[in-house]
Amino acid sequence: MSQNAWPLWEVFIRSQHGLAHKHVGSLHAPDAEMAVNNARDVYTRRNEGLSIWVVRAADIVASSPDDKQPLFEPANSKVYRHPTFFPMPDEIKHM
Amino acid sequence: MDQTLFQYSLRMGDTTLILSHRLSEWTGHGPELEEDLAMTNVALDLLGQARMWLTLAGELEGASRDEDQLAYLRDAPQYRNYLLVERDNGHYGHTIARQFLFDAWHYLLLQGLCTSTNEHVAAIAEKSIKEVSYHARRSSDILVRLGDGTAESHARMQDAVNDAWRFCGELFIDDDITLALEGQGVVPAHASLWQPWLNHVALTLAEATLTMPDPDAAVHPAHTGGVYGRHTEALGYLLAEMQHLQRSYPGASW
């Protein structure tokens, strides 16, 4: 089976009580409709999701690992940007 | 005991069980990873349905046979499944043709069973139809893709549909069992499913650019009798494999 005919799709699922779609994995499928069907079979058997998004992997633009420093370093070096200096009331847990 | 409903539950239980077993034979051999998983899912759905029907059959029979005894300790002549589902898997096209033709019937039947006057039957149908509507969607989907695919996939798919066709008529035959149950509002007349099934099949085959075989050719006396225990040679081999463990180690459990 030529993988050109079955391109890679990334699957995002919003679960029963989820607020947002989460990336759950990828799969191969010849077209979008079948990708949704396959996603249902591969990724939603045990907790039925409410919504499935499939996106051709080729359509996703990711940040490059080489850009890590210019993209994320500046924020890390400026501690005043991080909300870690506020005393939290005890009643509020796990913030 | 309600002999007619016992027989009918056996027919449904055996039909779903045998098809489930056939589909499970694909596990690890599917043409694609995703297909492999999907096929196994459908097999498990059908196995769950088989368990419900066979449990009901066991209760109705009142001879303290449970689902396991019904599944593993009967020989082919005691099996009441429709012939279509015991056919060998063949190539993937054969499996999809068998599945598509069966799913379309199964869905229509369950629709009727959902309004059964028997609460057990209605409950089983209610649960099953959610799964089967998906099975039907999937098998039509793949049938269309394979029929409307390459020249070779088209030819193979056409051949597979033609090959399975003569086993479809049996699904729509009414006998004293179905007629008696229809009289009590427990099941729909199987004959009433024929036209809607034919319409659906005609539409889907057209979309798949396939030619629908002659409707009259769907019923042939030589290809009926599964519900009376008259099976094709395929079932004996299937049962030998399926029942091997239970027959060799009676009462084995883990």
Side-chain angles (χ1 to χ4, degrees):
Chain A
M1 172 71 69
S2 132
Q3 288 303 349
N4 302 341
W6 284 60
L8 189 68
W9 299 77
E10 299 299 332
V11 182
F12 301 80
I13 289 182
R14 185 159 68 88
S15 63
Q16 208 79 45
H17 306 292
L19 294 173
H21 287 73
K22 276 206 183 96
H23 180 244
V24 292
S26 52
L27 49 79
H28 290 276
D31 58 45
E33 190 187 354
M34 210 155 148
V36 170
N37 278 352
N38 286 345
R40 182 265 186 195
D41 277 311
V42 179
Y43 292 111
T44 71
R45 278 300 277 193
R46 286 178 184 76
N47 59 338
E48 295 304 319
L50 282 180
S51 164
I52 299 175
W53 287 348
V54 292
V55 183
R56 250 178 222 272
D59 291 336
I60 291 180
V61 180
S63 63
S64 149
D66 299 343
D67 287 343
K68 209 171 122 184
Q69 285 191 315
L71 281 179
F72 309 113
E73 263 316 303
N76 288 341
S77 60
K78 299 184 178 67
V79 289
Y80 49 83
R81 290 190 177 180
H82 302 296
T84 46
F85 301 102
F86 300 99
M88 296 299 288
D90 284 340
E91 298 82 66
I92 301 178
K93 306 269 190 261
H94 314 300
M95 282 283 285
Chain B
M1 97 170 207
D2 187 345
Q3 179 65 35
T4 50
L5 188 52
F6 164 65
Q7 284 294 338
Y8 193 84
S9 307
L10 269 192
R11 290 178 187 185
M12 292 306 293
D14 290 350
T15 297
T16 44
L17 175 64
I18 296 301
L19 185 56
S20 168
H21 185 83
R22 276 285 179 240
L23 294 177
S24 73
E25 292 172 354
W26 274 106
T27 306
H29 301 278
E32 286 284 338
L33 173 78
E34 291 80 4
E35 271 309 301
D36 206 291
L37 288 164
M39 206 51 118
T40 308
N41 282 338
V42 175
L44 285 170
D45 285 347
L46 289 167
L47 187 65
Q49 295 171 26
R51 293 185 60 186
M52 294 190 285
W53 285 115
L54 290 178
T55 300
L56 175 63
E59 286 165 4
L60 289 166
E61 187 187 33
S64 59
R65 284 203 289 182
D66 64 7
E67 49 173 320
D68 286 342
Q69 285 162 304
L70 287 170
Y72 296 113
L73 301 178
R74 282 179 303 144
D75 290 322
Q78 282 100 48
Y79 260 79
R80 295 285 176 266
N81 57 285
Y82 289 95
L83 297 179
L84 176 67
V85 299
E86 72 193 42
R87 306 266 299 144
D88 284 327
N89 284 337
H91 59 55
Y92 208 64
H94 285 124
T95 292
I96 292 300
R98 182 187 64 197
Q99 197 62 35
F100 163 72
L101 296 167
F102 175 79
D103 286 345
W105 171 82
H106 198 192
Y107 180 78
L108 290 165
L109 177 64
L110 289 172
Q111 262 190 323
L113 293 177
C114 278
T115 57
S116 173
T117 52
N118 181 292
E119 57 177 336
H120 301 293
V121 171
I124 294 175
E126 199 73 47
K127 190 171 182 308
S128 303
I129 200 164
K130 290 179 196 152
E131 296 168 345
V132 172
S133 58
Y134 180 71
H135 301 173
R137 193 176 95 187
R138 233 188 124 264
S139 56
S140 344
D141 202 56
I142 296 173
L143 177 100
V144 169
R145 283 179 167 75
L146 291 175
D148 193 15
T150 63
E152 176 162 1
S153 73
H154 174 90
R156 282 176 172 240
M157 206 61 239
Q158 184 69 61
D159 177 57
V161 170
N162 296 350
D163 188 54
W165 193 251
R166 64 188 184 281
F167 293 95
C168 294
E170 189 193 12
L171 302 166
F172 303 94
I173 297 174
D174 282 307
D175 63 356
D176 50 356
I177 302 247
T178 58
L179 292 174
L181 291 169
E182 190 218 354
Q184 303 159 31
V186 177
V187 310
H190 281 218
S192 69
L193 310 172
W194 171 247
Q195 205 51 53
W197 179 84
L198 211 53
N199 296 346
H200 172 74
V201 167
L203 278 175
T204 314
L205 288 177
E207 198 186 341
T209 71
L210 296 167
T211 309
M212 187 166 88
D214 176 7
D216 292 341
V219 187
H220 187 290
H223 304 303
T224 61
V227 293
Y228 305 118
R230 295 196 306 273
H231 292 281
T232 66
E233 69 280 10
L235 185 65
Y237 292 104
L238 184 152
L239 291 180
E241 182 177 282
M242 190 179 93
Q243 299 178 338
H244 168 267
L245 194 79
Q246 193 53 243
R247 301 275 193 179
S248 308
Y249 304 94
S253 63
W254 59 83

